[in-house]
Amino acid sequence: IYLIIDRYDFQSLFLYIKYYKNMSTKLFGSVIFGPVHSRRLGISLGVNLLPMDGKVCSFDCIYCECGYNSQGKGHGLPTVEQVYKSLDNKLREMFHNKEELDVITFAGNGEPTLHPQFLDIINNTLLLRNKWFPKAKVSVLSNATCIDKISVFDALNKVDNNILKLDSVVPETVALLNVPNSKSFTVDKLISNLKKFNGNLIIQTLFVRGIHNGHVVDNTTEKEVEGWIRAIQEIKPRQVMIYAIDRETPEKNLEKLSKDELEKIADKVRILGYDVTVSV
């Protein structure tokens, strides 16, 4: 990008700085991506149900590898047919090449459950998984903001790994860290909806410290961790995944926690009888 900026062109300078500050860190440019080796899931084939050239999400997390929502929503969502064809072709190719596959993971450029035909896509994916790689798992990485929709709830109950985000139970921290788009979002409502899975879910939590817009962000304090553990005991997930930032983040003033720090938090949950994995 070339801009002709003289000492009087402050508006152009402002737009230039704003663009580079908010530009995405990484977008997935196709419906199917990978396979890659996931820290938490093994050999993972990714599925992106969002635009290829933008981000669509009900959160605007300051650590998201896809960048901020301000980069724009891009141009449209892939159709059910496009997802089916792309996934079928890739799985067929991997099968004939005798490649390994542990999991098919829905992630991508935002929140996958925002796709209006999410349930249909999950049903198709389960059929294709059974056809080509019956031992592979189907996983969804979700921020849990759409689980009050019946179709989304039903779809997530069908997959092998229903992985739902809970980074904090302190509203002020959630507002700084996850930045929910909906004014109706509340932590209490989120926890209530997570409990409806009756344990058929995995809670994922990213622990981090840093500064954002002049405010301290830290979900590792005693108050934060104690509240989070109480929520875990209410939700009763079959597994808990805790992890640290591992890729470039749009907010640069964030600290990656050490494995020792995460293990100390994990041990507080393990002693209560929960299966906890730690990834750094």
Side-chain angles (χ1 to χ4, degrees), residues 38-42 63 103 105 137-142 160-167 201-207 219 228 232 237-244 262 265-266 269-270 274-280:
S38 165
R39 291 181 292 169
R40 292 175 283 169
L41 302 172
Y63 58 77
V103 62
T105 306
K137 306 293 186 183
V138 175
S139 299
V140 178
L141 303 180
S142 169
D160 301 288
N161 296 319
N162 171 26
I163 306 174
L164 302 176
K165 179 186 299 295
L166 182 67
D167 286 341
L201 76 163
I202 297 169
I203 290 295
Q204 60 166 336
T205 302
L206 180 134
F207 284 102
N219 64 345
W228 175 77
I232 295 295
R238 62 180 172 86
Q239 187 180 9
V240 178
M241 294 178 173
I242 66 176
Y243 59 109
L262 292 181
I265 296 173
V269 187
R270 290 179 180 130
Y274 291 96
D275 176 18
V276 186
T277 63
V278 172
S279 301
V280 293

Side-chain angles (χ1 to χ4, degrees), residues 192-237:
S192 177
N193 285 333
L194 291 170
K195 289 164 64 175
K196 293 176 182 177
F197 284 101
N198 293 321
N200 185 30
L201 76 163
I202 297 169
I203 290 295
Q204 60 166 336
T205 302
L206 180 134
F207 284 102
V208 67
R209 288 190 292 265
I211 304 292
H212 178 62
N213 290 339
H215 298 281
V216 174
V217 181
D218 186 354
N219 64 345
T220 70
T221 66
E222 185 176 347
K223 173 187 175 183
E224 288 275 355
V225 174
E226 287 182 354
W228 175 77
I229 290 175
R230 285 195 297 271
I232 295 295
Q233 290 177 289
E234 285 189 53
I235 298 164
K236 296 179 173 57

